[in-house]
Amino acid sequence: MKNYLEKMMEAKEFINAKVGTFPDFVVVLGSGLAAVLNEIKIEVEIPYSDIPYLAKTTVEGHVSKLLIGTLGETRVACMQGRLHFYEGLSMEEVVFPFRVFGLCGAKVFFLTNAAGGLHVEMKPADLVLIQDHLNLMGTNPLIGKNIDKLGTRFPDMTHLYDPTLRRIVAQTAEKLAIKLQQGVYVGLHGPSYETPAEIKMYRALGGDVVGMSTVPEAIALHHMGKRVVAVSCVTNLAAGVGPTPLEHSEVLETAKKVQTVFCLLVKESIKEMKRVL
Ligand code: HPA
């Protein structure tokens, strides 16, 4: 039986054979944010199910593929669909593709997600640049024997969300007159949405938006020394903040409405980021 590292290396070899030089940038599309795909000139498309040892996602609104192509003037790898802890996968499985793309040579990971707003100022269709996170998933992707080839046992997390890349995204948004707030992302395992009492607690703890992704991959990528930047699309007011109960269809609909602007922000930010690689 192959161990985890051997499995990653096999997946890496598989991708290398299909892709050639792996792009510097990986863009991860959150729920309903697929518009980026219409803008990519696709070179290669690899269904996740073809990649050795990569688990399949089961969430509505997520089609799982890795696309390699050109976005604007930049060659990117685009993850359509990610794996979530609430699907019953282990943390190791959730972060597996990110680690593999990191091993393939990707340098920057632009993560996007759909999130609930913890304040009325973080309302549906707002974009929020993640400054930092609260890992309230009750676990950590680095638990277990450390994989020394990837990183150290006790990695520092002070600058997990790369300050230089964050500045670039903020400046790009300003230049494009796109409203972009900044905030702390609360990572939860889900899959039930939160109760109003929980939302009150997360707000008291310093959170601004809540979601069920991003935190595991951000930790695993930072452990590997990769640069991470993340933007949330607020798709709904969190439980108890607004008057209505939450619906996954609302999440997808709101994300769809903002995806064109979101796509522009990602594309133009990446162009600027090339200067600092
Ligand atoms: N809570 C958790 N995850 C989410 C939400 C929410 O309100 N909206 C989108 N993802």
Side-chain angles (χ1 to χ4, degrees):
M1 244 281 273
K2 292 200 163 158
N3 67 29
Y4 187 71
L5 183 59
E6 288 164 344
K7 287 178 181 172
M8 285 196 291
M9 296 315 280
E10 190 180 324
K12 170 184 180 285
E13 296 309 323
F14 173 86
I15 293 166
N16 280 349
K18 295 224 175 241
V19 172
T21 308
F22 201 86
D24 289 335
F25 292 94
V26 176
V27 178
V28 184
L29 302 177
S31 304
L33 297 167
V36 173
L37 297 172
N38 304 331
E39 295 228 9
I40 294 183
K41 268 195 233 106
I42 298 171
E43 280 168 38
V44 191
E45 207 174 304
I46 311 174
Y48 286 178
S49 51
D50 287 1
I51 301 174
Y53 308 109
L54 204 147
K56 267 188 241 152
T57 170
T58 58
V59 194
E60 189 195 329
H62 290 260
V63 181
S64 336
K65 267 187 249 165
L66 172 69
L67 296 131
I68 311 287
T70 311
L71 177 64
E73 299 154 20
T74 316
R75 204 159 162 266
V76 298
C78 187
M79 290 176 72
Q80 186 184 16
R82 51 151 73 82
L83 307 170
H84 299 84
F85 189 50
Y86 61 72
E87 293 178 76
L89 304 170
S90 67
M91 275 285 167
E92 281 198 342
E93 286 175 307
V94 170
V95 300
F96 182 88
F98 294 91
R99 283 174 159 165
V100 170
F101 304 150
L103 289 170
C104 285
K107 296 187 177 120
V108 171
F109 287 73
F110 198 132
L111 312 177
T112 71
N113 60 47
L118 292 179
H119 320 278
V120 280
E121 303 87 67
M122 303 262 167
K123 55 184 190 310
D126 283 354
L127 298 179
V128 181
L129 179 62
I130 300 179
Q131 288 171 307
D132 204 348
H133 74 222
L134 293 171
N135 176 15
L136 298 184
M137 288 191 153
T139 183
N140 186 299
L142 308 183
I143 288 175
K145 188 169 165 14
N146 187 53
I147 306 170
D148 296 332
K149 187 173 162 33
L150 300 183
T152 65
R153 171 76 293 186
F154 301 109
D156 176 77
M157 291 284 143
T158 310
H159 297 303
L160 199 171
Y161 298 94
D162 190 286
T164 306
L165 301 186
R166 272 164 45 207
R167 203 172 317 121
I168 288 173
V169 178
Q171 284 166 353
T172 305
E174 206 179 321
K175 206 167 72 194
L176 297 170
I178 295 172
K179 181 182 167 201
L180 181 70
Q181 303 185 75
Q182 304 219 13
V184 172
Y185 179 90
V186 183
L188 304 168
H189 54 63
S192 56
Y193 287 121
E194 306 70 36
T195 64
E198 285 164 345
I199 290 300
K200 214 166 151 186
M201 172 176 72
Y202 301 141
R203 201 167 39 236
L205 291 176
D208 297 299
V209 288
V210 270
M212 305 174 196
S213 68
T214 303
V215 165
E217 48 263 39
I219 294 172
L221 289 167
H222 195 60
H223 174 240
M224 291 179 84
K226 300 298 174 181
R227 299 178 78 172
V228 175
V229 67
V231 176
S232 289
C233 166
V234 179
T235 51
N236 56 283
L237 289 172
V241 180
T244 49
L246 273 51
E247 294 253 12
H248 185 55
S249 57
E250 182 197 352
V251 168
L252 297 180
E253 269 164 38
T254 312
K256 257 193 204 134
K257 274 188 219 150
V258 282
Q259 55 185 345
T260 312
V261 169
F262 210 162
C263 178
L264 183 66
L265 180 62
V266 171
K267 187 168 72 180
E268 295 302 314
S269 298
I270 283 178
K271 199 158 88 187
E272 292 301 317
M273 286 175 194
K274 279 200 278 190
R275 297 177 210 268
V276 299
L277 278 198

mmCIF file of all heavy atoms in Angstrom, residues 114-117 188 192-194 199 210-212 235-239 246 251, ligand 1:
data_model
loop_
_atom_site.group_PDB
_atom_site.id
_atom_site.type_symbol
_atom_site.label_atom_id
_atom_site.label_comp_id
_atom_site.label_asym_id
_atom_site.label_seq_id
_atom_site.Cartn_x
_atom_site.Cartn_y
_atom_site.Cartn_z
ATOM 1 N N ALA A 114 -17.993 31.008 -0.953
ATOM 2 C CA ALA A 114 -19.265 31.639 -0.600
ATOM 3 C C ALA A 114 -19.324 31.658 0.926
ATOM 4 O O ALA A 114 -18.893 30.700 1.570
ATOM 5 C CB ALA A 114 -20.414 30.813 -1.156
ATOM 6 N N ALA A 115 -19.823 32.745 1.485
ATOM 7 C CA ALA A 115 -19.835 32.849 2.942
ATOM 8 C C ALA A 115 -21.059 33.601 3.436
ATOM 9 O O ALA A 115 -21.672 34.362 2.692
ATOM 10 C CB ALA A 115 -18.562 33.564 3.411
ATOM 11 N N GLY A 116 -21.371 33.387 4.693
ATOM 12 C CA GLY A 116 -22.467 34.122 5.327
ATOM 13 C C GLY A 116 -21.907 35.345 6.035
ATOM 14 O O GLY A 116 -20.824 35.294 6.620
ATOM 15 N N GLY A 117 -22.627 36.459 5.985
ATOM 16 C CA GLY A 117 -22.165 37.699 6.624
ATOM 17 C C GLY A 117 -22.613 37.749 8.075
ATOM 18 O O GLY A 117 -23.779 37.506 8.386
ATOM 19 N N LEU A 188 -15.961 26.657 9.616
ATOM 20 C CA LEU A 188 -16.766 25.686 10.372
ATOM 21 C C LEU A 188 -16.896 24.408 9.571
ATOM 22 O O LEU A 188 -16.830 24.443 8.336
ATOM 23 C CB LEU A 188 -18.159 26.269 10.617
ATOM 24 C CG LEU A 188 -18.179 27.623 11.323
ATOM 25 C CD1 LEU A 188 -19.567 28.232 11.252
ATOM 26 C CD2 LEU A 188 -17.732 27.462 12.773
ATOM 27 N N SER A 192 -24.692 21.522 8.558
ATOM 28 C CA SER A 192 -25.852 22.350 8.900
ATOM 29 C C SER A 192 -25.357 23.792 8.975
ATOM 30 O O SER A 192 -24.197 24.037 9.349
ATOM 31 C CB SER A 192 -26.458 21.921 10.236
ATOM 32 O OG SER A 192 -25.495 21.963 11.261
ATOM 33 N N TYR A 193 -26.217 24.713 8.597
ATOM 34 C CA TYR A 193 -25.889 26.107 8.834
ATOM 35 C C TYR A 193 -25.925 26.330 10.337
ATOM 36 O O TYR A 193 -26.350 25.465 11.103
ATOM 37 C CB TYR A 193 -26.886 27.017 8.094
ATOM 38 C CG TYR A 193 -26.675 27.041 6.591
ATOM 39 C CD1 TYR A 193 -27.687 26.650 5.723
ATOM 40 C CD2 TYR A 193 -25.476 27.474 6.040
ATOM 41 C CE1 TYR A 193 -27.499 26.679 4.345
ATOM 42 C CE2 TYR A 193 -25.276 27.505 4.667
ATOM 43 C CZ TYR A 193 -26.288 27.105 3.820
ATOM 44 O OH TYR A 193 -26.097 27.134 2.464
ATOM 45 N N GLU A 194 -25.511 27.510 10.778
ATOM 46 C CA GLU A 194 -25.353 27.777 12.197
ATOM 47 C C GLU A 194 -26.688 28.183 12.827
ATOM 48 O O GLU A 194 -27.610 28.587 12.138
ATOM 49 C CB GLU A 194 -24.338 28.925 12.373
ATOM 50 C CG GLU A 194 -23.012 28.670 11.687
ATOM 51 C CD GLU A 194 -23.063 28.702 10.163
ATOM 52 O OE1 GLU A 194 -23.810 29.514 9.594
ATOM 53 O OE2 GLU A 194 -22.361 27.885 9.542
ATOM 54 N N ILE A 199 -23.990 32.147 15.742
ATOM 55 C CA ILE A 199 -23.553 33.304 14.952
ATOM 56 C C ILE A 199 -23.183 34.473 15.876
ATOM 57 O O ILE A 199 -22.167 35.145 15.672
ATOM 58 C CB ILE A 199 -24.658 33.701 13.931
ATOM 59 C CG1 ILE A 199 -24.755 32.624 12.841
ATOM 60 C CG2 ILE A 199 -24.413 35.082 13.329
ATOM 61 C CD1 ILE A 199 -23.485 32.379 12.034
ATOM 62 N N VAL A 210 -18.726 33.684 7.721
ATOM 63 C CA VAL A 210 -18.611 32.251 8.085
ATOM 64 C C VAL A 210 -18.740 31.382 6.850
ATOM 65 O O VAL A 210 -19.532 31.681 5.954
ATOM 66 C CB VAL A 210 -19.737 31.756 9.026
ATOM 67 C CG1 VAL A 210 -19.397 31.919 10.447
ATOM 68 C CG2 VAL A 210 -21.093 32.303 8.677
ATOM 69 N N GLY A 211 -18.024 30.273 6.866
ATOM 70 C CA GLY A 211 -18.125 29.336 5.752
ATOM 71 C C GLY A 211 -17.583 27.974 6.136
ATOM 72 O O GLY A 211 -17.106 27.772 7.265
ATOM 73 N N MET A 212 -17.682 27.050 5.166
ATOM 74 C CA MET A 212 -17.328 25.651 5.454
ATOM 75 C C MET A 212 -16.148 25.159 4.612
ATOM 76 O O MET A 212 -16.044 23.975 4.315
ATOM 77 C CB MET A 212 -18.547 24.759 5.191
ATOM 78 C CG MET A 212 -19.797 25.157 5.951
ATOM 79 S SD MET A 212 -21.197 24.150 5.450
ATOM 80 C CE MET A 212 -22.574 25.109 6.096
ATOM 81 N N THR A 235 -22.924 35.542 0.388
ATOM 82 C CA THR A 235 -24.096 35.085 -0.372
ATOM 83 C C THR A 235 -25.386 35.229 0.426
ATOM 84 O O THR A 235 -26.474 35.124 -0.117
ATOM 85 C CB THR A 235 -23.922 33.608 -0.771
ATOM 86 O OG1 THR A 235 -23.589 32.873 0.396
ATOM 87 C CG2 THR A 235 -22.854 33.452 -1.824
ATOM 88 N N ASN A 236 -25.250 35.453 1.722
ATOM 89 C CA ASN A 236 -26.436 35.557 2.585
ATOM 90 C C ASN A 236 -26.011 36.171 3.905
ATOM 91 O O ASN A 236 -24.836 36.108 4.283
ATOM 92 C CB ASN A 236 -27.012 34.154 2.847
ATOM 93 C CG ASN A 236 -25.975 33.228 3.449
ATOM 94 O OD1 ASN A 236 -25.094 32.720 2.746
ATOM 95 N ND2 ASN A 236 -26.025 33.026 4.736
ATOM 96 N N LEU A 237 -26.977 36.757 4.596
ATOM 97 C CA LEU A 237 -26.707 37.161 5.978
ATOM 98 C C LEU A 237 -26.756 35.874 6.799
ATOM 99 O O LEU A 237 -27.598 35.004 6.551
ATOM 100 C CB LEU A 237 -27.761 38.158 6.451
ATOM 101 C CG LEU A 237 -27.677 39.554 5.816
ATOM 102 C CD1 LEU A 237 -28.875 40.394 6.216
ATOM 103 C CD2 LEU A 237 -26.383 40.263 6.205
ATOM 104 N N ALA A 238 -25.848 35.735 7.743
ATOM 105 C CA ALA A 238 -25.802 34.508 8.555
ATOM 106 C C ALA A 238 -27.077 34.388 9.401
ATOM 107 O O ALA A 238 -27.815 35.365 9.572
ATOM 108 C CB ALA A 238 -24.562 34.537 9.440
ATOM 109 N N ALA A 239 -27.292 33.195 9.941
ATOM 110 C CA ALA A 239 -28.529 32.898 10.682
ATOM 111 C C ALA A 239 -28.776 33.931 11.787
ATOM 112 O O ALA A 239 -27.877 34.239 12.569
ATOM 113 C CB ALA A 239 -28.436 31.501 11.289
ATOM 114 N N LEU A 246 -31.978 30.230 6.052
ATOM 115 C CA LEU A 246 -30.977 30.085 4.983
ATOM 116 C C LEU A 246 -31.335 28.967 4.019
ATOM 117 O O LEU A 246 -31.889 27.948 4.431
ATOM 118 C CB LEU A 246 -29.620 29.768 5.613
ATOM 119 C CG LEU A 246 -28.762 30.946 6.049
ATOM 120 C CD1 LEU A 246 -29.521 31.921 6.904
ATOM 121 C CD2 LEU A 246 -27.547 30.441 6.793
ATOM 122 N N VAL A 251 -27.648 30.860 -1.738
ATOM 123 C CA VAL A 251 -26.185 30.962 -1.793
ATOM 124 C C VAL A 251 -25.725 30.928 -3.255
ATOM 125 O O VAL A 251 -24.948 31.772 -3.713
ATOM 126 C CB VAL A 251 -25.539 29.804 -0.980
ATOM 127 C CG1 VAL A 251 -24.054 29.693 -1.246
ATOM 128 C CG2 VAL A 251 -25.810 29.983 0.507
HETATM 129 N N1 HPA B 1 -22.848 29.649 6.909
HETATM 130 C C1 HPA B 1 -21.904 28.749 6.594
HETATM 131 N N2 HPA B 1 -21.465 28.568 5.369
HETATM 132 C C2 HPA B 1 -21.950 29.337 4.393
HETATM 133 C C3 HPA B 1 -22.935 30.309 4.644
HETATM 134 C C4 HPA B 1 -23.410 30.480 5.979
HETATM 135 O O1 HPA B 1 -24.277 31.316 6.284
HETATM 136 N N3 HPA B 1 -23.219 30.899 3.445
HETATM 137 C C5 HPA B 1 -22.425 30.307 2.514
HETATM 138 N N4 HPA B 1 -21.647 29.368 3.080
#
